[in-house]
Amino acid sequence: MNDNSPTTRALLALELVQNSPGISGDTLGQRLGVSDRAARRYVGILREAGIPVESTPGRYGGYRLGRGYRVPPLMFSTTEALGLVMAALEGRHSASDDDDPVGRALGKIIRVLPASLADPADALWQLSTPRRSSADARADPETTAALVQASAARHRVRLDYRLRGSTRSMDVDPWAVSRRHGLWYLLGWSHTKDARRVLRVDRIARVERLPETFEEPAGLDPEAALEEHLAEGWRYGVEVVVDAPVAVVGCWIPRNLGRLEAIDSDHTRLLGSTDEPDWYARRLVLVEAPFHVISPPELRDALRALGRRVLDAAD
């Protein structure tokens, strides 16, 4: 559409009057890039279209929309609404921040959505961290929408899950959908495996909602459960003893490193796993208390190598 066309300027006039109630004719004309007389003409176009633009005469008068008028709402399907939120979060690091322009725009869209769409969209927005996901691991918005709706309705789902070149079918209670480290995950209970599972949404090929319902576990913290799960099942099992109380160690150890257990009032055990001892060693050195690696030996070797590098740098 031509930015200088009468239709475009009339729509811009509507936006200005809506966002700045009491805007004067001079200011309206300046914002439109036209004279005061031309601005009145665009207000007339709006009135002819049935939009009640009221005017108050005098020095402090101006234009405002008539009482009770509302701009027709945008209509989104669940897939479109969640796809929009996901795309913004994946494409812009700070879109989950209220102070970011894109974040503010997302907030406005979510606030005018019906509750059935706003609640899952807001949940995804609030749980997201400002990281970018890789293009080849992008979750399908329609699949994500189906999972979020099933989670909100507490309905079991049947999934086709792609894993190591094959596809497996499983029945899952979808407790929560969340985004961590640039990827979307489904946290739930697998009736096929009879165990808690964290599944990557980009690997889910099909979602079918089942008639069975479920109750979410009491006291479930989806974020904590997801982080703990992501720390499990890797090649090297990790056990570390830290000479500090568990509450203090929790300030140094992120949940994705493993689970903390209190040994006594002055000692804490860290249990986790990793495929990358070098990466794990770099995280451990942030602990501001003496610690001892019980296992694996690969982690002890990685710490020794890191220590030598630090000493060499000092020399």
Side-chain angles (χ1 to χ4, degrees), residues 30 45 123 140 149 160 257 259 265-266 273 278:
Q30 291 172 5
I45 292 174
D140 177 59
Q149 287 180 308
D160 286 345
L257 285 190
R259 184 178 73 257
S265 59
D266 296 317
S273 65
D278 292 342

Side-chain angles (χ1 to χ4, degrees), residues 140-187:
D140 177 59
E142 188 171 351
T143 298
T144 309
L147 294 172
V148 170
Q149 287 180 308
S151 176
R154 299 292 186 266
H155 265 275
R156 190 175 301 169
V157 293
R158 180 163 295 153
L159 310 175
D160 286 345
Y161 194 66
R162 295 187 293 264
L163 188 62
R164 298 186 183 92
S166 62
T167 300
R168 303 176 184 176
S169 179
M170 61 181 72
D171 291 356
V172 178
D173 292 343
W175 293 342
V177 176
S178 186
R179 185 169 177 262
R180 281 293 176 273
H181 313 302
L183 296 172
W184 295 94
Y185 292 95
L186 171 66
L187 171 67

Side-chain angles (χ1 to χ4, degrees), residues 8-129:
T8 300
R9 282 206 168 116
L11 292 174
L12 179 56
L14 173 59
E15 181 181 354
L16 292 170
V17 172
Q18 180 184 8
N19 294 338
S20 304
I23 187 171
S24 67
D26 288 341
T27 301
L28 181 60
Q30 291 172 5
R31 298 289 297 275
L32 293 174
V34 298
S35 65
D36 178 25
R37 180 177 179 181
R40 290 197 300 271
R41 185 165 64 249
Y42 292 122
V43 171
I45 292 174
L46 295 175
R47 288 170 173 165
E48 290 175 0
I51 299 174
V53 180
E54 299 177 348
S55 59
T56 304
R59 180 179 179 182
Y60 299 104
Y63 296 106
R64 67 182 67 244
L65 291 179
R67 186 178 299 275
Y69 177 78
R70 295 290 183 271
V71 175
L74 294 173
M75 302 301 293
F76 293 101
S77 68
T78 303
T79 299
E80 290 170 342
L82 294 184
L84 177 62
V85 174
M86 291 167 63
L89 291 170
E90 292 171 351
R92 188 180 181 95
H93 288 219
S94 54
S96 58
D97 188 348
D98 274 328
D99 294 330
D100 181 81
V102 175
R104 289 198 301 272
L106 278 178
K108 290 179 180 179
I109 292 173
I110 290 172
R111 283 193 292 273
V112 300
L113 291 173
S116 60
L117 301 185
D119 292 344
D122 186 62
L124 290 181
W125 187 40
Q126 296 298 334
L127 287 173
S128 294
T129 55

Side-chain angles (χ1 to χ4, degrees), residues 248-301:
V248 177
V249 177
C251 299
W252 301 322
I253 300 290
R255 285 189 295 233
N256 65 340
L257 285 190
R259 184 178 73 257
L260 298 178
E261 295 179 351
I263 299 174
D264 54 40
S265 59
D266 296 317
H267 298 85
T268 300
R269 179 178 289 106
L270 166 64
L271 297 172
S273 65
T274 183
D275 272 358
E276 303 178 55
D278 292 342
W279 173 87
Y280 208 97
R282 291 194 295 272
R283 270 63 187 172
L284 279 180
V285 297
L286 299 178
V287 173
E288 300 178 18
F291 63 87
H292 317 278
V293 176
I294 308 301
S295 63
E298 289 81 2
L299 179 56
R300 290 196 292 268
D301 293 341

Side-chain angles (χ1 to χ4, degrees), residues 179-252:
R179 185 169 177 262
R180 281 293 176 273
H181 313 302
L183 296 172
W184 295 94
Y185 292 95
L186 171 66
L187 171 67
W189 182 267
S190 170
H191 290 272
T192 306
K193 294 292 185 180
D194 196 27
R196 187 182 72 176
R197 284 290 183 266
V198 171
L199 306 174
R200 278 177 45 173
V201 176
D202 61 283
R203 293 178 178 172
I204 297 176
R206 184 182 67 90
V207 180
E208 175 189 352
R209 186 190 292 200
L210 301 177
E212 292 85 355
T213 59
F214 67 89
E215 292 294 329
E216 185 180 278
L220 175 69
D221 183 343
E223 294 180 74
L226 178 59
E227 291 288 4
E228 290 174 3
H229 188 94
L230 293 177
E232 300 170 354
W234 302 104
R235 180 180 178 184
Y236 301 106
V238 173
E239 182 178 357
V240 178
V241 174
V242 184
D243 297 344
V246 66
V248 177
V249 177
C251 299
W252 301 322

